[in-house]
Amino acid sequence: MATTPTKLATASSVALRTLSYFFLRWFIPAAVFTLFAVYVPSFIWGYFQEPKYELVDTIDVAVTDTTYKKDSIPENSLKAARNGSGEAELQDDGDIVTREVDVQETLSLQDRPLDFFRTVLTGAPNPRSALLSAATLLVNLLCVSFVADRLFREHCYVGDDLSFVKLGYVSDKEAKLLIREPDQSKMPVTVQIHIKDPHPPFDNPLWQEAGGVRWTVNETDYTAVLDIPLRHSKRRTYEWRTSNNHSGEFTTPPSVGHAAESGDAPFTFLSTSCIVSRLPYSPFDNPLSIPGLKHLSRVLPSLNAQFMLFLGDFIYVDVPRWWGTNVADYRQKYRQIYASPDWQPVAQNLSWIHVLDDHEIANDWSANSTGVYANASDPWRLYHAAPNPPVAPKAGALTPRKGATYFEFTQGPASFFLLDTRSYRSSNNLPATASEKTMLGPDQFEDFIAFLERPEPKGVKWKIVASSVPFTKNWHVNTKDTWGGFLTERRRILEAMWDTSSRGIGVVILSGDRHEFAATTFPPPAYSKWPESSAVHEFSCSPLSQFYSPVPTYWQTDNEDVKIKYIYKGNSKFGAITIENLEEDNQSSLKYRLFIDGVETWNTVVLSPPAVTEDKHDGSFWERFKISIYPDRFLRLYQRLDQPSLNMGRRAAQDNKAIRYESVMSDDQGVAQLTARIMEKGFAIVEGTPYDNPDATQRLLERIAFIRVTHYGGFYDFTPDLAMADTAYTNLALAAHTDTTYFSDPAGLQAFHLLSHQPAPDSPPGETVSGGKSLLVDGFSAADILKRTSPRAYKILATVRLPWHASGNVGIAIAPDKRYPVLELDPDTGDLKKVRWNNDDRGVVPFNKTFSVNEWYDAAQLFDKILRDAHQECWMQLEPGKVLIFDNWRVLHGRSAFNGIRRICGGYINRDDFVSRWRNTNLLSDQIDREVIGW
């Protein structure tokens, strides 16, 4: 039995060695020095307290048997033997055998076994051997020394005198060099460039002055950025050299829209994130060694990469420990990376473009620009933002937002948007589905969506989105720090990305952060307006040089984020992305190659999506003339050549901002805004409407046009009292439908205003009201999905004419002038004109020469399934003061069931009157004349 000191020494030794290993491999925080402080005294104490000998207890047992013949045995002994009692045993022949047992115990001291392996493996003291004990103590001393070496030696390097030149963003017009020179005796620093392989007589082979830096100051950590203008229009490789003995080269990218030029390698760039020195640890490495850069440098010459897109965590300010939060502490971390002997081989000839992430500020940062942000962002702006590509322009403008930290550029066959996912985000701790939670902030979100919606020049087939954190929610450790913790904003971005892909531009997201690799695809929802080819892809790859997750943390949980490939092992990972335009079929291929510890491990190819085909003008003189005299916005809205779809889900109410009642009532500009919103979005909300009585609502509608009188009356004001035989006058849920399908000319606009919602008079005291949410579905969007997924079903619903009727009330038997199909098309253009969809108003499906009744029901069932898809539905809660006005030819409406008494007012407006009002408030007089006359 070991003594208490020895047990303590053993336990602390095992823990010390385990934690030292994890510290040097994975950077898990370890109390190594504390354990060593416990281990040493307990080891010494145990060595002297632990006995060298062990007490051995030996027991000898002697058994003696004696046999007695039958004739010589006394009668009483014979009876006892027969009864089986006593220590005598009766034999078959009558003899008796007696047994005597003699036990002898011997105590002795013996030398303890040497137990070599137990001593070496556990670190426990061995009193038998001072040499063996010293050896196992030395093992633990080495563990602590390695930890101390890794922890302190790097920090001893300050780097104040570091001089280097880093290649930043390179375009076909300029190249940026970041110059750090603290030695003022070498100032000014001048730069010269020349074409490496000149093509005479068009190229000048001589070295030419490219500018310089007159001085550097401490305020910029002795850095400055030099922009070198490039005057050659063709792709060339340039060599550069500086007066303070730095040199390198760079190659300009192919022209916009081209993946490569004749004789050039395809357009390739790299992507990864996360750098920490000396991991995994080797005591023989330089204290600033970065093993992952060594892997990269070996592969780099064969890749012909244009640039490295580095997705954050270039430094780890808090690893292996946080030394301080001053500007000097953050600057020192950057200088340590740039001073690494492994940095120059991968930086002198390769452009580096950077994104910001948390460890450049603090782990899981979500505090915007508070706290340490100013100190942390100082060196990031100096070393990374300054030589980066241009700041992304403000949406709808040519100039960027002041102080923005997100970037945008176009090279060859792709456009890039570099997100800042740290400086503007909401708190990570808010619910993932909170509508107000944002990763990007409102300005960056607006600019990013504008980037996705912006048309690209011919030949640009990809939009590359750089995000420091993964877009997928398939990582199930600390998901809240990824886009998985910002699901509402993520959904809005995905929809914009699917829109982009449906126009024939592929969207690929590149991310890092997780120290693992995963390829994920985001397919559009089934039965949506987006084809399957609109799927978005993400490649999340890291670290370049760091620990990797020792256990898998990524797995697929639903069909929204679909796993393609997942690899978690490997201390060094980076991706090489190669884009080639396929001229023969107007598509482009994007090949992703994954390198782990310098070896290509996996690859895949993604093709750019085909554009969704739409009816185009025939190119005639008349069509070109018509386009030239009408604004594009007018053509889109009036002719519906490119009808925008209703926003789905919660996004609809957020994006379709309400219009003020006072604005509509005060002048025609407000009416113009209201009618244009309905024409473009399909619905509008007018807020601030008085609701003490319905008069204000009636005046609002009459600002558009006069209110249509039907068998329900004119302007209506009702409660669920079944005054009319119509489900609208009940508390029941109503599926999405259009109104007045039984009119030859269905109502063009419909309006609802909830004046009040109160408990019923007979309800129990204290009962609250609930329910009655309003539902909107874009019928044009649903029909478009039907047309693309099942052209035959679309044709059936656009061909088979149905009887529609209103006959539920006494004295009412309304039917249109003729039968109309569900989808009514313009006979001249074939464009969808209106949707009639209301099962309560539909008569018997007639026989048709072309399509059977069963085929109609199959088509109707498919259309109904699309209409009921959650992605097509827009739900909102009506409330007093907010008037909902929508296009009844296009938008279906419904509601959920409710309790209590709701008072609703509203009315119908004719389509022709609405369009007339829209024309007169949104178009110029000559445009109106041409359109009405029919030019």
Side-chain angles (χ1 to χ4, degrees):
M1 180 70 70
T3 62
T4 299
T6 300
K7 291 180 180 178
L8 183 60
T10 302
S12 59
S13 173
V14 172
L16 183 150
R17 294 180 182 186
T18 302
L19 292 178
S20 296
Y21 175 78
F22 275 90
F23 177 86
L24 297 172
R25 294 285 299 182
W26 287 295
F27 265 131
I28 296 176
V32 174
F33 300 109
T34 301
L35 289 171
F36 190 68
V38 173
Y39 171 74
V40 171
S42 61
F43 179 90
I44 297 173
W45 188 13
Y47 179 80
F48 290 105
Q49 290 291 321
E50 194 75 13
K52 297 182 179 180
Y53 308 98
E54 59 184 7
L55 182 65
V56 179
D57 187 358
T58 305
I59 298 177
D60 293 329
V61 179
V63 179
T64 304
D65 290 341
T66 304
T67 303
Y68 295 93
K69 295 297 184 179
K70 177 180 178 182
D71 297 339
S72 61
I73 301 173
E75 187 62 27
N76 58 346
S77 298
L78 187 60
K79 290 180 179 181
R82 289 194 183 107
N83 294 333
S85 60
E87 297 184 3
E89 180 181 351
L90 181 64
Q91 303 293 312
D92 292 340
D93 56 2
D95 294 342
I96 293 178
V97 177
T98 62
R99 178 170 297 161
E100 294 181 1
V101 179
D102 183 19
V103 179
Q104 293 184 350
E105 181 178 10
T106 303
L107 298 177
S108 62
L109 290 175
Q110 296 183 4
D111 290 339
R112 295 179 61 174
L114 193 59
D115 210 350
F116 174 85
F117 289 105
R118 178 178 178 275
T119 300
V120 172
L121 293 177
T122 64
N126 191 328
R128 282 284 313 280
S129 173
L131 182 61
L132 194 56
S133 296
T136 197
L137 175 64
L138 180 61
V139 171
N140 286 350
L141 180 60
L142 285 174
C143 289
V144 175
S145 299
F146 293 157
V147 171
D149 172 59
R150 175 61 191 86
L151 186 61
F152 295 107
R153 280 184 66 198
E154 174 190 89
H155 184 64
C156 293
Y157 179 82
V158 178
D160 288 339
D161 59 348
L162 174 66
S163 172
F164 73 93
V165 177
K166 169 192 171 183
L167 181 62
Y169 174 66
V170 177
S171 71
D172 57 342
K173 295 181 175 60
E174 68 171 354
K176 294 187 177 184
L177 291 181
L178 173 73
I179 299 172
R180 186 179 196 273
E181 183 52 75
D183 188 351
Q184 297 303 298
S185 66
K186 296 182 180 179
M187 306 304 292
V189 175
T190 59
V191 177
Q192 293 181 323
I193 67 169
H194 82 136
I195 296 176
K196 182 178 181 180
D197 297 312
H199 298 173
F202 306 104
D203 295 340
N204 185 350
L206 301 178
W207 286 93
Q208 301 177 48
E209 296 292 334
V213 176
R214 297 181 62 185
W215 61 75
T216 56
V217 295
N218 183 55
E219 285 71 15
T220 61
D221 203 20
Y222 300 101
T223 65
V225 172
L226 177 65
D227 293 326
I228 302 175
L230 304 175
R231 298 179 177 85
H232 206 289
S233 59
K234 296 294 184 179
R235 195 176 190 187
R236 292 289 187 269
T237 296
Y238 292 84
E239 291 183 313
W240 58 268
R241 64 189 183 189
T242 67
S243 59
N244 58 342
N245 298 320
H246 298 290
S247 62
E249 66 180 49
F250 60 85
T251 301
T252 56
S255 56
V256 171
H258 296 79
E261 296 182 1
S262 178
D264 290 333
F267 182 76
T268 298
F269 64 96
L270 312 178
S271 176
T272 186
S273 71
C274 305
I275 292 177
V276 166
S277 61
R278 299 180 85 186
L279 195 67
Y281 173 81
S282 170
F284 306 107
D285 282 343
N286 182 285
L288 300 179
S289 173
I290 303 174
L293 294 183
K294 297 177 182 178
H295 295 306
L296 175 61
S297 65
R298 287 196 298 270
V299 181
L300 194 57
S302 64
L303 297 178
N304 295 307
Q306 190 68 42
F307 56 83
M308 164 65 79
L309 185 55
F310 197 81
L311 302 174
D313 291 345
F314 186 78
I315 66 166
Y316 274 69
V317 69
D318 46 357
V319 173
R321 63 159 294 178
W322 204 332
W323 294 100
T325 60
N326 296 323
V327 170
D329 298 309
Y330 283 96
R331 288 182 174 183
Q332 180 180 352
K333 278 288 188 178
Y334 283 87
R335 293 195 298 266
Q336 287 171 348
I337 299 294
Y338 287 123
S340 170
D342 304 315
W343 170 255
Q344 295 303 318
V346 300
Q348 289 298 93
N349 305 329
L350 179 66
S351 166
W352 282 64
I353 299 172
H354 292 271
V355 172
L356 178 67
D357 202 19
D358 57 336
H359 287 284
E360 286 145 327
I361 310 169
N363 187 41
D364 291 349
W365 183 257
S366 63
N368 300 146
S369 58
T370 63
V372 299
Y373 181 86
N375 291 343
S377 62
D378 169 89
W380 184 81
R381 291 176 185 271
L382 296 175
Y383 284 102
H384 291 170
N388 249 9
V391 174
K394 180 180 178 181
L398 298 177
T399 57
R401 299 183 191 271
K402 185 177 180 180
T405 51
Y406 43 93
F407 309 90
E408 179 185 337
F409 65 98
T410 301
Q411 283 195 1
S415 286
F416 297 79
F417 197 101
L418 281 54
L419 296 170
D420 180 351
T421 65
R422 292 296 173 184
S423 301
Y424 314 100
R425 69 159 64 187
S426 304
S427 170
N428 289 339
N429 296 323
L430 290 174
T433 56
S435 59
E436 71 280 6
K437 191 175 185 183
T438 175
M439 176 84 77
L440 305 180
D443 289 345
Q444 183 179 194
F445 178 83
E446 181 183 8
D447 297 344
F448 179 46
I449 295 300
F451 162 80
L452 292 174
E453 294 177 346
R454 187 177 305 131
E456 294 294 345
K458 182 180 179 181
V460 176
K461 295 295 185 179
W462 300 93
K463 287 185 184 284
I464 309 296
V465 179
S467 171
S468 67
V469 294
F471 200 73
T472 178
K473 54 181 169 35
N474 284 350
W475 261 292
H476 299 280
V477 174
N478 199 23
T479 309
K480 68 180 183 179
D481 188 57
T482 72
W483 280 98
F486 298 75
L487 294 179
T488 299
E489 188 173 61
R490 189 186 94 131
R491 179 68 190 189
R492 298 171 69 187
I493 290 172
L494 266 177
E495 291 177 356
M497 289 178 171
W498 291 326
D499 283 341
T500 300
S501 293
S502 66
R503 300 196 305 269
I505 304 295
V507 179
V508 170
I509 304 166
L510 300 176
S511 63
D513 184 67
R514 303 301 290 195
H515 300 192
E516 301 166 272
F517 169 80
T520 311
T521 184
F522 307 92
Y527 307 110
S528 68
K529 67 176 182 178
W530 303 286
E532 292 182 7
S533 59
S534 299
V536 176
H537 295 80
E538 178 185 28
F539 299 100
S540 186
C541 181
S542 66
L544 179 57
S545 192
Q546 245 278 29
F547 71 84
Y548 65 87
S549 175
V551 294
T553 63
Y554 170 105
W555 58 85
Q556 182 178 334
T557 56
D558 54 41
N559 291 326
E560 292 182 352
D561 298 30
V562 179
K563 183 183 81 170
I564 300 175
K565 185 69 175 180
Y566 171 59
I567 302 174
Y568 66 94
K569 294 182 178 180
N571 288 100
S572 177
K573 306 183 189 79
F574 67 89
I577 301 93
T578 299
I579 300 176
E580 295 185 79
N581 283 353
L582 311 176
E583 299 295 342
E584 62 273 11
D585 56 3
N586 201 32
Q587 276 191 293
S588 179
S589 69
L590 184 148
K591 182 176 183 179
Y592 187 95
R593 289 178 287 168
L594 173 66
F595 290 83
I596 299 181
D597 295 335
V599 177
E600 184 173 346
T601 306
W602 179 81
N603 66 72
T604 190
V605 175
V606 180
L607 293 179
S608 63
V612 176
T613 57
E614 299 178 357
D615 293 336
K616 303 295 182 183
H617 297 297
D618 60 10
S620 66
F621 168 79
W622 172 244
E623 289 296 334
R624 294 195 301 271
F625 175 69
K626 186 166 65 172
I627 291 174
S628 68
I629 62 175
Y630 287 115
D632 178 67
R633 181 169 174 269
F634 168 78
L635 291 173
R636 285 194 298 107
L637 299 181
Y638 183 73
Q639 296 185 355
R640 301 184 188 275
L641 297 177
D642 183 21
Q643 181 69 299
S645 64
L646 186 69
N647 292 326
M648 305 306 168
R650 184 181 294 136
R651 179 181 172 185
Q654 293 173 340
D655 288 359
N656 198 343
K657 297 179 180 179
I659 301 169
R660 293 297 300 175
Y661 174 82
E662 297 85 354
S663 174
V664 179
M665 302 303 293
S666 61
D667 55 47
D668 282 353
Q669 185 175 355
V671 178
Q673 184 183 12
L674 173 61
T675 55
R677 183 72 57 82
I678 297 170
M679 185 71 81
E680 185 174 359
K681 298 288 188 180
F683 75 102
I685 298 172
V686 180
E687 64 180 4
T689 308
Y691 54 88
D692 52 342
N693 64 64
D695 294 346
T697 307
Q698 182 172 350
R699 291 194 300 271
L700 171 68
L701 298 184
E702 289 172 344
R703 287 287 291 162
I704 301 175
F706 64 86
I707 296 172
R708 180 172 179 172
V709 178
T710 70
H711 56 293
Y712 294 107
F715 182 80
Y716 48 73
D717 177 9
F718 68 94
T719 58
D721 56 4
L722 279 178
M724 298 289 288
D726 193 294
T727 51
Y729 289 76
T730 70
N731 291 45
L732 302 175
L734 301 179
H737 65 281
T738 57
D739 270 16
T740 64
T741 60
Y742 38 75
F743 287 152
S744 302
D745 177 29
L749 298 186
Q750 186 167 3
F752 289 124
H753 187 189
L754 176 68
L755 298 177
S756 63
H757 189 180
Q758 300 173 343
D762 56 349
S763 62
E767 183 179 68
T768 58
V769 295
S770 62
K773 275 192 170 184
S774 292
L775 166 67
L776 299 179
V777 178
D778 187 351
F780 278 35
S781 173
D784 180 64
I785 295 169
L786 180 69
K787 185 177 182 180
R788 287 187 282 108
T789 56
S790 178
R792 181 174 177 80
Y794 180 88
K795 187 175 182 180
I796 291 172
L797 295 187
T799 302
V800 177
R801 298 175 177 272
L802 305 172
W804 304 95
H805 66 93
S807 54
N809 292 281
V810 176
I812 303 298
I814 301 174
D817 61 333
K818 60 182 179 181
R819 294 179 177 183
Y820 289 93
V822 171
L823 306 177
E824 188 175 342
L825 308 182
D826 187 303
D828 296 326
T829 65
D831 294 331
L832 182 58
K833 185 177 179 181
K834 67 171 73 78
V835 176
R836 297 177 192 247
W837 184 259
N838 194 326
N839 281 331
D840 294 336
D841 298 342
R842 178 176 51 79
V844 178
V845 178
F847 291 100
N848 183 280
K849 295 180 180 180
T850 307
F851 306 107
S852 69
V853 173
N854 287 340
E855 284 183 303
W856 185 93
Y857 277 108
D858 290 341
Q861 183 181 33
L862 181 57
F863 187 51
D864 184 67
K865 184 176 182 181
I866 296 171
L867 292 171
R868 294 176 184 271
D869 188 279
H871 296 100
Q872 298 295 321
E873 296 178 332
C874 167
W875 288 92
M876 65 182 69
Q877 185 71 60
L878 293 181
E879 57 187 59
K882 291 187 177 181
V883 180
L884 171 64
I885 309 173
F886 55 90
D887 181 349
N888 185 59
W889 283 21
R890 170 188 171 189
V891 176
L892 289 71
H893 67 282
R895 71 165 183 237
S896 63
F898 63 93
N899 65 346
I901 304 296
R902 297 200 319 165
R903 183 183 177 188
I904 297 283
C905 70
Y908 296 126
I909 294 177
N910 284 328
R911 172 75 184 183
D912 291 342
D913 299 314
F914 158 63
V915 174
S916 173
R917 186 67 162 143
W918 169 76
R919 287 194 197 105
N920 283 283
T921 55
N922 285 274
L923 302 180
L924 300 175
S925 59
D926 60 335
Q927 294 171 339
I928 297 172
D929 292 340
R930 292 189 183 102
E931 187 274 316
V932 173
I933 294 172
W935 282 19

